């Protein structure tokens, strides 16, 4: 059965190695009341000073979002073919499958540093300028004894380690097809490492750090681990993991300090946690992350784990059939995204979560502080299990939840949009507008959740005998969809559905989850009808 209150039992369940650190409830319970007052006061001041950030970015990113639509590229067509038989969510997903929305939004690394070599092909006899690693000697006999000046397409290095040790900063390094051992390089120079053409070299994982490096076009078969990094890009790779119980590897594991990271266009599947932020010692926030256009499929842990994130954009990702698997962790709480720690300025935009395997949506569970300037917009969470689409324990002041379609399972207590489940600190000024909600529940408690606006939602079931708000413009559900069932989970509104033309224009993002403009009055939910 699904566990609607997972963290309540975490205290009695051992946390397996490699799993995200999980803490119970809102973590400020151990902070003295005076300290909490000071913290909240400071937070309020900070909000006033910097309030535009997540919201402004949401608007700004609408524009880049639109541009991204026009930027379909070839980069991982192989991945597209590989996963093309699974679910469809409308054009949102189509975009992911054709290269993602990579680059949208403000956050994210630079990670370039390349010499501008294009990823052209060798047809016609020309090879792109750059250095070469060719362990299988496809283009000529490889040798790691060469200097960088001696390396060419015909005279390549054999190993990634040689490139890491010998390529000068700013180099583009093409890696030919073949199998490579894991690269361990604690401080990489600014190298742009690329799988050559469509050869997609297979690499047994990374353990790297450094500045301005990037990895594109690889197939990794073990964890991509980044520690102490700034300006890194992990893009258009496949991370193909193998379930092995408690030893199932994670996809991308991040250990601070870490800043300016882009994770885009990757296909990460069959692992434990797809994107894991570790805080093994003193807390060090992960700053300026852009995680967009990735596909996370059949992972058996918390899919994305955010622990002390600052200035993150999480956009246009697909979470496909992640959940509980006997050969990974049959007892995991399989959140699509679990946000813990004290976090600031997080935008979750146009993500698509669907599962038939127990997976669920977003869980906000602050610890050690609050989660401020959080915007959740244009997301779809659907699935056959009755579990939450978005749950907040407490401590997310000013959170904006707008134009989402939350239609997971059946409408029973503890599912859907569920706010204030474990109240140990205030959650003021929350905005809940223009959402389609199969179930809506706000719990009572010592620190009641309060709303700046809770209106213009389509609500199927509002949990009775709770302080769940009723807006004057709320509409009774259910909305009707084009096809909200597996495998398509198509959450576009059907002709005549409730919610069309019924959203609050002041709250609706300029573009919908497809990146399309509004048609007339904005519609409730993630997709604009007729756009
Ligand atoms: Ca409309």
């Amino acid at each position: 059965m699904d566990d609607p209150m997972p963290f309540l039992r975490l205290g009695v369940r051992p946390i397996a190695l490699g799993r995200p650190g999980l803490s119970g409830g809102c973590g400020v319970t151990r902070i003295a009341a005076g300290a909490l007052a000071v913290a909240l006061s400071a937070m309020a001041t900070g909000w006033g000073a910097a309030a535009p950030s997540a919201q402004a970015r949401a608007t700004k990113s609408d524009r880049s979002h639109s541009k991204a639509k026009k930027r379909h590229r070839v980069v991982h067509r192989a991945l597209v073919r590989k996963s093309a038989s699974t679910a469809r969510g409308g054009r949102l997903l189509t975009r992911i499958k054709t290269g993602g929305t990579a680059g949208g939004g403000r956050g994210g690394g630079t990670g370039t540093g390349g010499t501008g070599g294009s990823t052209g092909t060798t047809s016609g006899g020309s090879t792109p300028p750059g250095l070469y690693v060719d362990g299988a000697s496809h283009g000529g006999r490889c040798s790691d004894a060469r200097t960088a000046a001696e390396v060419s397409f015909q005279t390549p290095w054999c190993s990634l380690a040689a490139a890491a040790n010998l390529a000068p900063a700013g180099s583009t390094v093409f890696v030919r097809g073949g199998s490579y051992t894991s690269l361990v390089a604690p401080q990489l120079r600014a190298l742009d490492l690329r799988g050559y053409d469509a050869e997609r070299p297979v690499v047994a994982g990374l353990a790297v750090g450094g500045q301005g490096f990037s990895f594109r076009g690889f197939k990794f078969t073990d964890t991509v681990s980044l520690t102490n990094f700034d300006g890194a890009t992990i893009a258009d790779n496949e991370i193909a993991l193998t379930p092995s119980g408690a030893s199932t590897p994670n996809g991308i594991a991040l250990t601070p300090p870490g800043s300016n990271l882009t994770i885009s266009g990757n296909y990460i599947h069959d692992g434990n946690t797809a994107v894991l932020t570790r805080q093994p010692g003193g807390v060090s926030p992960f700053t300026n992350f852009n995680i967009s256009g990735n596909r996370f499929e059949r992972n058996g842990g918390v899919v994305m784990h955010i622990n002390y994130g600052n200035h993150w954009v999480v956009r246009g990702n697909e979470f496909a059939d992640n959940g509980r698997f006997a050969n990974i962790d049959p007892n995991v709480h399989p959140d699509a995204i679990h946000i813990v720690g004290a976090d600031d300025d997080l935008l979750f935009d146009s993500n698509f979560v669907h599962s038939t395997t127990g997976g669920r949506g977003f869980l906000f569970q602050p610890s050690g502080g609050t989660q401020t300037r959080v915007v959740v917009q244009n997301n779809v969470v659907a699935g056959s299990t009755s579990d939450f689409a978005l749950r907040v324990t407490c401590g997310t002041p000013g959170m904006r939840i707008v134009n989402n379609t939350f239609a997971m399972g059946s409408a029973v207590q503890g599912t859907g949009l569920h706010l204030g489940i474990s109240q140990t600190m205030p959650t003021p000024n929350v905005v809940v507008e223009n959402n389609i909600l199969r179930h809506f529940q706000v719990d009572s408690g010592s620190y009641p959740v309060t709303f700046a606006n809770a209106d213009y939602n389509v609500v199927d079931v509002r949990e009775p005998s709770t302080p769940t708000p009723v807006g004057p413009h709320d509409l009774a559900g259910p909305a009707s969809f084009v096809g909200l069932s597996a495998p398509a989970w198509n959450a576009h509104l059907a002709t005549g559905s409730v919610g069309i033309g019924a959203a609050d224009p002041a709250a609706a993002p300029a573009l919908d989850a497809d990146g399309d403009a509004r048609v007339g009055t904005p519609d409730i939910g993630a997709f604009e009808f007729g756009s």
Side-chain angles (χ1 to χ4, degrees), residues 40-417:
L40 289 171
S41 169
M43 180 274 299
T45 304
W47 175 265
S53 188
Q55 283 87 342
R57 188 151 39 135
T59 304
K60 178 185 173 195
S61 59
D62 279 343
R63 294 192 288 272
S64 57
H65 198 176
S66 183
K67 287 177 193 163
K69 281 185 68 184
K70 302 180 178 68
R71 216 175 339 125
H72 297 172
R73 289 296 182 265
V74 295
V75 190
H76 64 155
R77 279 191 180 145
L79 305 188
V80 173
R81 282 194 296 273
K82 184 163 296 193
S83 56
S85 63
T86 49
R88 301 289 176 276
R91 279 169 290 167
L92 171 62
L93 180 50
T94 303
R95 200 171 61 243
I96 293 167
K97 288 181 173 300
T98 50
T101 56
R106 189 193 72 190
T110 49
T112 50
T115 51
S118 79
T119 50
T121 68
T122 54
S123 59
S126 64
T127 58
L131 301 170
Y132 283 82
V133 173
D134 183 1
S137 300
H138 297 296
R141 187 183 63 82
C142 74
S143 168
D144 284 346
R146 293 181 173 119
T147 67
E150 293 168 336
V151 164
S152 71
F153 185 85
Q154 292 84 10
T155 56
W157 284 312
C158 300
S159 70
L160 295 174
N165 289 331
L166 299 171
S171 301
T172 297
V173 179
F174 293 102
V175 181
R176 301 293 309 268
S179 293
Y180 297 86
T181 57
S182 65
L183 175 63
V184 179
Q187 281 298 299
L188 270 177
R189 287 182 286 275
L191 302 179
D192 179 12
L193 292 121
R194 296 170 177 253
Y196 177 73
D197 198 25
E199 294 182 355
R200 201 167 287 283
V202 178
V203 180
L206 299 177
V208 300
Q211 291 194 322
F213 60 87
S214 59
F215 289 85
R216 305 171 200 269
F218 292 88
K219 177 177 180 177
F220 296 106
T221 56
D222 204 341
T223 305
V224 170
S225 178
L226 272 54
T227 303
N228 190 4
F229 56 92
D230 177 40
T233 298
I234 305 294
D236 306 309
N237 304 286
E238 179 178 4
I239 304 180
L241 304 165
T242 303
S244 51
S247 302
T248 302
N250 300 307
I252 297 175
L254 307 165
T255 307
S259 54
N260 299 305
L261 173 67
T262 294
I263 298 174
S264 63
N266 301 286
Y267 175 39
I268 304 176
H269 60 93
D270 296 291
N272 188 343
T273 293
V275 177
L276 171 64
T277 51
R278 302 177 189 271
Q279 294 286 355
V283 166
S284 174
F286 292 100
T287 304
N288 288 336
F289 279 25
N290 178 3
I291 303 183
S292 58
N294 302 283
R295 177 176 169 90
F296 308 110
E297 187 169 24
R298 292 187 309 275
N299 296 286
V302 168
V303 184
M304 184 184 300
H305 175 258
I306 302 176
N307 191 359
Y308 286 87
N310 280 350
H311 314 303
W312 282 46
V313 173
V314 179
R315 170 180 293 125
N317 302 284
E318 183 189 6
F319 299 76
D321 290 325
N322 302 285
R324 295 192 177 100
F325 300 101
N327 58 357
I328 298 178
D329 183 351
N331 300 308
V332 71
H333 69 108
D335 312 319
I337 308 179
H338 189 187
I339 304 96
V340 300
D343 307 76
D344 180 53
D345 192 15
L346 310 180
L347 171 62
F348 302 89
D349 180 20
S350 302
N351 299 285
F352 178 35
V353 181
H354 60 86
S355 180
T356 58
T357 55
R360 49 193 185 181
F362 306 81
L363 174 59
F364 292 83
Q365 189 176 14
S367 52
T370 53
Q371 294 175 343
T372 48
R373 295 191 292 167
V374 176
V375 176
V376 180
Q377 67 178 27
N378 283 347
N379 301 281
V380 174
V381 182
S384 57
T385 55
S386 293
D387 215 321
F388 64 80
L390 192 161
R391 173 174 288 160
V392 173
T393 55
C394 63
T396 59
M399 184 176 190
R400 288 180 61 81
I401 303 168
V402 295
N403 282 91
N404 301 283
T405 297
F406 291 154
M408 200 146 195
S410 52
V412 297
Q413 187 175 9
T415 65
L417 176 58

